[in-house]
Amino acid sequence: MSSTDLRKGNIRYVEDAEFSADLTASVLSADHTTNYDESSFAFSSDSRLLAFLCFSVCEVIGLTAGEESSHQETFLFARHSKLLGEVSATMDLSGDLSAKVAVSFPADLARLLCGRIAGCPPGKLAEEDICDGVGELVNQISGRARTFFNDAGRNIKIGLPQVHLGEGLPFEYQGDSSCYAMIFYCLGFRFALQICPTASLPITDTP
Amino acid sequence: MKILFVEDSGIMRKSMIKMATASGYKTVEAENGAEALARLRKHGSSIDLIIMDWNMPVMDGYETLLKIKGSQEYSHIPVLMATADGVEEDVVKAVKAGAAGYLIKPFSPEDLVDKIKSLVSPDFSHRP
């Protein structure tokens, strides 16, 4: 799926789902036919935000880690979500858009990517190096998205990254907000960019 | 040629130092602006370029840039801001404060080396 598909509103909607390990596995796998309702949006003002983030993820992984990644699918969870990976970094956005962004990796992928960034064998990295690397990735992804938004006339500030280790950690922002999860594929693994916006950004679909 | 890298992310410091040393440059590193000033006091006369992040704890890149450009001993050293924050107002702010260039993350090794070459004269004529 390309970022153009996002602008057509091809987002899978998950309502009132119990955020179990099965759901996490299902979201991260190629098979999306179980356990949840599906509806598409004719147009979402969030689609521009998602397109910016999609581009940022692929650009950052490509240039910083030297690896290709591709966007697979996007989900919208009606209720609060959990971090989908084992090594995650979160960042707050504020200003014209108020949101929490997370990049969430399986541990093995986090280690591989950080090895690529540091230019050393992944096995030689300490846990703090991996936390540092994942924090830097979310910093760069948020920074690039901020640049896109500011160029579009929207003022956004980004906070400092925070790293979280562990599976199934809660991911929510300002109460019972909905949450997008964009699933990407890289080096044989799937990882997620998750975002909880508090309000849709009023950017139209036209340039 | 010797480059001072100022960056709070250890893994990004390793990455940029690797890019620079692969092109034959010598490097010194610092985790924040305060450490950078300490490195300058120690190595100042031999540093030809400073590559610095903006958002850092203890002392950020902008404050450090102001201190470097306000000093008599180090103001001649070109400073390249390398940061994930690429908004126009920050770029303008950095240039007005005396930054010689601005590199927005993410960047490739080729981007970094090209920028280094554009800022430092091969005969080191920028040194006092």
Side-chain angles (χ1 to χ4, degrees):
Chain A
M1 176 186 287
S2 68
S3 59
T4 309
D5 295 325
L6 290 175
R7 293 161 70 89
K8 293 176 185 170
N10 192 7
I11 298 170
R12 292 178 183 264
Y13 184 66
V14 183
E15 186 170 14
D16 290 329
E18 187 66 37
F19 225 100
S20 63
D22 286 344
L23 177 60
T24 302
S26 175
V27 165
L28 289 174
S29 73
D31 177 10
H32 299 293
T33 58
T34 58
N35 290 343
Y36 48 79
D37 296 325
E38 179 182 316
S39 69
S40 61
F41 296 83
F43 169 75
S44 166
S45 62
D46 292 336
S47 65
R48 188 72 172 243
L49 163 67
L50 300 180
F52 284 161
L53 287 168
C54 180
F55 181 83
S56 298
V57 168
C58 295
E59 188 189 40
V60 167
I61 302 280
L63 285 173
T64 301
E67 290 297 337
E68 196 176 308
S69 59
S70 59
H71 173 241
Q72 304 281 291
E73 195 136 25
T74 297
F75 294 84
L76 173 60
F77 295 96
R79 301 287 177 260
H80 62 266
S81 174
K82 291 186 181 177
L83 292 170
L84 291 169
E86 298 161 309
V87 183
S88 310
T90 59
M91 237 169 148
D92 285 352
L93 306 182
S94 60
D96 286 348
L97 170 69
S98 197
K100 196 176 202 79
V101 176
V103 180
S104 200
F105 300 98
D108 288 344
L109 178 59
R111 184 171 283 278
L112 282 172
L113 289 174
C114 291
R116 299 285 198 273
I117 295 169
C120 73
K124 291 206 167 189
L125 292 172
E127 189 177 86
E128 63 177 22
D129 294 323
I130 296 169
C131 291
D132 181 15
V134 171
E136 180 63 23
L137 288 174
V138 84
N139 182 42
Q140 290 190 25
I141 289 165
S142 299
R144 289 303 285 139
R146 181 189 178 214
T147 304
F148 292 136
F149 275 107
N150 279 41
D151 288 348
R154 302 298 174 183
N155 188 20
I156 292 179
K157 289 187 170 59
I158 57 176
L160 291 173
Q162 292 189 333
V163 180
H164 312 269
L165 299 178
E167 288 181 84
L169 299 174
F171 180 62
E172 57 188 18
Y173 188 60
Q174 295 188 3
D176 205 17
S177 55
S178 55
C179 171
Y180 291 97
M182 301 174 69
I183 310 300
F184 294 83
Y185 181 83
C186 180
L187 289 172
F189 295 91
R190 283 180 174 77
F191 69 95
L193 182 132
Q194 295 172 257
I195 178 161
C196 287
T198 53
S200 294
L201 192 65
I203 288 178
T204 63
D205 202 29
T206 53
Chain B
M1 189 172 106
K2 193 180 277 184
I3 303 173
L4 169 60
F5 284 95
V6 191
E7 163 67 63
D8 60 321
S9 163
I11 206 162
M12 277 307 295
R13 273 202 319 278
K14 275 187 191 139
S15 175
M16 289 192 289
I17 285 169
K18 204 168 178 79
M19 292 178 198
T21 52
S23 294
Y25 301 117
K26 293 183 186 166
T27 62
V28 179
E29 58 184 293
E31 269 187 35
N32 55 59
E35 265 190 35
L37 296 175
R39 296 288 182 272
L40 282 171
R41 283 191 286 276
K42 186 177 175 183
H43 300 275
S45 58
S46 65
I47 289 177
D48 300 289
L49 174 65
I50 299 167
I51 297 180
M52 186 155 63
D53 190 12
W54 190 291
N55 292 319
M56 295 182 290
V58 183
M59 187 186 292
D60 70 20
Y62 182 67
E63 187 185 345
T64 311
L65 174 65
L66 290 174
K67 286 197 183 317
I68 291 168
K69 290 301 164 184
S71 73
Q72 279 192 322
E73 308 97 308
Y74 316 121
S75 60
H76 65 281
I77 304 174
V79 179
L80 170 66
M81 304 303 293
T83 171
D85 247 337
V87 296
E88 192 180 333
E89 62 180 78
D90 289 345
V91 176
V92 169
K93 191 175 167 184
V95 170
K96 280 186 175 173
Y102 206 96
L103 191 58
I104 297 168
K105 295 174 187 172
F107 49 78
S108 64
E110 293 76 24
D111 289 338
L112 179 66
V113 172
D114 285 347
K115 207 71 178 180
I116 290 169
K117 286 178 180 171
S118 75
L119 291 175
V120 180
S121 49
D123 59 357
F124 306 111
S125 56
H126 59 280
R127 288 185 185 167

